[in-house]
Amino acid sequence: MTETTTEVRAPGAAPAGEVPAGEVPAGEVPAGEVPARWIWLAAWPVTAVFVLSNAATPLYVLWQREMGFGRGTLTVVFACYIAGLLGSLLVSGVLSDRIGRKPVLLPALGLALAACLVFATAGGVAALVVARLCTGIAVGAVVSAGMAAVTDVAGPARRRLAALLASCAMVFGAGLGPLLAGVLSETLPAPTVTVFGVEAVLLGTAVAVVLRMPVRRPAAGGTGAWVRVPGVPRGAGRPLALGIAVFAPGITATSFVLSLGPSLLSDLLGTDSRTVSGTLAFAMFLSATGVQFAVRRLERRTVLLAGAGATALGMLALVTAVHTGSVPALGAAALLGGAGQGMGQLGGLSLLNSTVPTGRLAEANAALNVGGYLPAGLLPVTAGYLSDGLGLTTGATAFATALAAAAVAGGGLVLLERRSPARR
């Protein structure tokens, strides 16, 4: 629940003269009170910020050539985003549940705009690190407050739709960013300025949406520290663990493709084309988006099992690609990894939406993402330095083997879970 500048009241409620402007009683937005279009609009800030999250991916090859850094440094720059995101998640979920969605989302969008400026004018690795940190902090706020805002706007009767749209908004934006960046940077002058100028316009429209978003002021209360490792209420720990068990390997797979995919393409195809690397990332996240619509009516347990299987198969395809030099195998690895992330994310969010009250939902979203992004930051960095020291084939093989084992273990955990109506 969050603060709003737009009054939302049921028919017959007290007129504006009897209720302070922009302030409405605490409680969820009843289903049907807010038009369905607002559920889609509420997801737009999530998309806009996630466009920024991966917009730099096709440009890394360009920056590597200009600044002269290796694969290990590249994965560290990428991981700075994860560090900023995890730090943000320690506070943004709790803060959003206590003071509202808008007071968290608006500063996050401002920080994302600042990151665009730093990216556009970057002259060294330090600037890239700062821009990635700012981006990570903004994304951390959006995956907790922004995705919870979609659920708030949808209301209790449309929570399943809210989980689908919030999850798809995230992965679609993550894929759209590198595609736009790749195409714009190779077709228009001043590539970095152009790419991040366009992204700044998208973020500006997201600010306009947040300012008018019909979400309510949160109920007073909340206990515990403001900065803490996010968690869930008693009874929701098992659903959170199941979501993380599948979501974490999936998002780690896509993080590897984002950080080292351009290097793999360069080795396999002998090209540094930013459009090609951007298209690979877009295809990966388009897979993550499409598969969620395809499986949205399936039982959550089935969705999670399918997600774990897709990630494991994707890692098998990655090993095949680096050992045989097969570009189709690399494409299959990206598509399967995207599907694994998409289904793990949808299954995890759906479980939380069905078991966690709205007053703790942003914190629960933060907890899911902490569990996913922590390995997504650490394992690709390890693979990057292994690739620098022992070769890309060895580094990628070690990474894929470890991640496939994690995905199989996550699927095994889901299989062992007792089936019950509350968990379907």
Side-chain angles (χ1 to χ4, degrees), residues 294-392:
V295 304
R296 68 188 185 280
R297 299 188 187 280
L298 297 180
E299 182 183 4
R300 296 183 183 103
R301 181 172 177 270
T302 303
V303 172
L304 289 171
L305 283 172
T311 300
L313 289 173
M315 292 304 95
L316 177 61
L318 178 61
V319 172
T320 302
V322 297
H323 282 274
T324 65
S326 170
V327 174
L330 179 60
L335 294 176
L336 287 165
Q341 177 188 335
M343 288 186 280
Q345 183 172 294
L346 177 62
L349 284 174
S350 296
L351 285 173
L352 294 180
N353 273 8
S354 66
T355 55
V356 177
T358 300
R360 294 286 303 277
L361 189 56
E363 184 183 356
N365 289 344
L368 176 68
N369 282 281
V370 166
Y373 276 103
L374 193 58
L378 294 176
L379 288 180
V381 170
T382 303
Y385 277 105
L386 276 176
S387 298
D388 277 344
L390 302 176
L392 191 56

Side-chain angles (χ1 to χ4, degrees), residues 93 117 134 153 204 249 252 286 288 336 377 400:
L117 177 62
C134 290
V153 171
T252 303
L286 187 63
L336 287 165

Side-chain angles (χ1 to χ4, degrees), residues 73 76-78 80-81 118-119 122 124-135:
T73 301
V76 169
V77 170
F78 181 84
C80 285
Y81 158 79
V118 178
F119 269 129
V125 173
L128 296 180
V129 167
V130 170
R132 289 296 283 172
L133 276 171
C134 290
T135 302

Side-chain angles (χ1 to χ4, degrees), residues 60-226:
Y60 285 138
V61 173
L62 180 65
W63 281 320
Q64 274 185 291
R65 186 167 62 245
E66 292 178 352
M67 301 175 189
F69 55 84
R71 293 181 188 128
T73 301
L74 172 60
T75 52
V76 169
V77 170
F78 181 84
C80 285
Y81 158 79
I82 306 290
L85 187 152
L86 291 173
S88 176
L89 290 173
L90 296 180
V91 64
S92 59
V94 175
L95 195 65
S96 172
D97 285 334
R98 293 189 186 180
I99 71 171
R101 311 301 185 214
K102 290 185 182 182
V104 173
L105 286 173
L106 290 173
L109 290 168
L111 195 59
L113 286 165
C116 286
L117 177 62
V118 178
F119 269 129
T121 58
V125 173
L128 296 180
V129 167
V130 170
R132 289 296 283 172
L133 276 171
C134 290
T135 302
I137 294 170
V139 169
V142 166
V143 297
S144 51
M147 297 175 87
V150 179
T151 301
D152 290 353
V153 171
R158 298 182 286 191
R159 281 193 162 203
R160 188 155 190 145
L161 173 64
L164 175 65
L165 293 183
S167 183
C168 287
M170 173 180 166
V171 293
F172 181 72
L176 186 60
L179 178 65
L180 281 177
V183 173
L184 292 176
S185 67
E186 290 195 328
T187 57
L188 296 176
T192 55
V193 175
T194 300
V195 167
F196 294 105
V198 170
E199 168 58 8
V201 172
L202 298 181
L203 290 168
T205 64
V207 171
V209 168
V210 172
L211 287 172
R212 293 182 55 82
M213 190 184 296
V215 287
R216 296 175 181 262
R217 184 187 299 276
T223 59
W226 288 76

Side-chain angles (χ1 to χ4, degrees), residues 16-83:
E18 298 178 26
V19 179
E23 185 175 325
V24 294
E28 291 182 340
V29 179
E33 183 176 338
V34 174
R37 70 175 183 275
W38 264 109
I39 308 175
W40 293 79
L41 285 171
W44 171 243
V46 178
T47 300
V49 171
F50 270 91
V51 169
L52 174 64
S53 72
N54 292 332
T57 297
L59 303 174
Y60 285 138
V61 173
L62 180 65
W63 281 320
Q64 274 185 291
R65 186 167 62 245
E66 292 178 352
M67 301 175 189
F69 55 84
R71 293 181 188 128
T73 301
L74 172 60
T75 52
V76 169
V77 170
F78 181 84
C80 285
Y81 158 79
I82 306 290

